[in-house]
Amino acid sequence: MTRRRTLLLGGAAAVGVVAVGGVAATGRLDDVARELGLDPVPQPAEGDTALLSEAAEDQARLVAVVGSLSATLVPLLEEHLDALGGAATSTVAPAPDLASARATLAAAASVRRDQSEAAVSPDLARTLGSIAAALSLMGSGVVA
Amino acid sequence: MTGQLEQVLALEHEAVWTYGLIGGGFAPLRDQAEASFAAHRTERDRLLAVVEDALPPQVAYAPATIADEAAARLRAQDVEARLAAAWSAVIGSTTGSDRTEAIDQLVVAEAARLAWGGSPAAFPGLD
């Protein structure tokens, strides 16, 4: 199976986005560059960069919302945050109880699903889709 | 996307076969295996109507025997994990509602893997 680290190496660098985003626009220039012995690196699609940033910010919020309510969920959420290149925040209050936190996670799953659908890069789409699936299972209590 | 869906369908054939093996071989797991068998048979039939030129199911899938209940649970987790990975590939090769459908199927596969005793994963289909 494909490991996520091959999709989003280096957190916010989002190699997958970089690899796919600008191919169409820069293809001819890339060919020229390769003939010159260079290794061109296309720019990510602008929308994908924004999606990645939004997702990372929201994942930081989720880590804070769950807080100490679940020793199972937090490490998983921190993995998401790490992969997206986000940083923990201390400005968000934890949810009053686990049920409330799960409702927040379920809502975030829906957002992440929409972000995956909006992504141009297939690799970013897969990563956000995978996070959406994980959040969905956390929100529904399948992951307890 | 066709190639990715062919892969999913191939795995659905394998899942149907695998749950028949588990249900027939281990009485304590029969109810769960029957539920999984029915779910995968339904999904297999849905995909058969969608995927053109699909490969037929194999007669058997290696390994064709399962030693005990613990191995049966691991076998179930394995086939569900590979289905999750296959749906993840579909996510990357589709857009719009097809991609959303693939995410929904990823959730289904991961939930099934967990139901068979798998550990929670941060990145279903990618871990």
Side-chain angles (χ1 to χ4, degrees):
Chain A
M1 279 181 279
T2 306
R3 293 194 63 81
R4 67 183 183 281
R5 295 297 181 186
T6 67
L7 298 181
L8 288 177
L9 281 174
V15 169
V17 180
V18 173
V20 176
V23 168
T26 61
R28 281 182 56 83
L29 288 174
D30 288 354
D31 290 342
V32 172
R34 288 191 186 94
E35 285 179 11
L36 293 173
L38 302 176
D39 186 16
V41 180
Q43 294 298 305
E46 204 168 294
D48 279 359
T49 304
L51 284 173
L52 185 62
S53 176
E54 290 166 11
E57 188 175 334
D58 198 42
Q59 285 300 138
R61 180 180 68 90
L62 296 180
V63 171
V65 164
V66 175
S68 60
L69 292 171
S70 169
T72 302
L73 302 184
V74 167
L76 301 173
L77 295 169
E78 288 177 338
E79 281 195 59
H80 297 160
L81 182 60
D82 181 50
L84 294 172
T89 178
S90 58
T91 61
V92 177
D97 52 47
L98 193 53
S100 177
R102 289 197 187 284
T104 301
L105 292 169
S110 180
V111 173
R112 216 63 81 245
R113 187 184 311 251
D114 291 344
Q115 290 170 331
S116 173
E117 189 176 327
V120 173
S121 158
D123 291 341
L124 181 60
R126 291 178 68 195
T127 301
L128 294 173
S130 178
I131 293 174
L135 293 177
S136 176
L137 293 167
M138 293 179 197
S140 63
V142 172
V143 175
Chain B
M1 177 179 73
T2 304
Q4 281 79 16
L5 278 184
E6 284 177 0
Q7 177 62 25
V8 173
L9 177 55
L11 286 166
E12 290 292 354
H13 282 309
E14 181 177 345
V16 169
W17 184 88
T18 299
Y19 286 118
L21 184 67
I22 293 173
F26 304 97
L29 302 179
R30 184 162 298 148
D31 288 349
Q32 187 176 2
E34 283 182 354
S36 294
F37 177 90
H40 285 287
R41 183 178 55 191
T42 298
E43 182 60 14
R44 177 203 64 189
D45 292 346
R46 185 183 76 84
L47 289 171
L48 278 170
V50 174
V51 179
E52 296 177 357
D53 301 324
L55 292 172
Q58 297 176 201
V59 172
Y61 295 84
T65 58
I66 300 175
D68 52 31
E69 284 181 34
R73 289 188 180 282
L74 290 175
R75 184 73 176 272
Q77 292 170 40
D78 175 67
V79 74
E80 299 294 353
R82 286 185 286 130
L83 269 164
W87 279 116
S88 174
V90 175
I91 292 171
S93 64
T94 52
T95 58
S97 60
D98 287 341
R99 181 176 286 174
T100 305
E101 166 69 15
I103 295 171
D104 290 341
Q105 293 294 340
L106 173 57
V107 173
V108 170
E110 179 66 0
R113 189 185 68 80
L114 294 170
W116 280 99
S119 299
F123 292 90
L126 297 179
D127 278 318

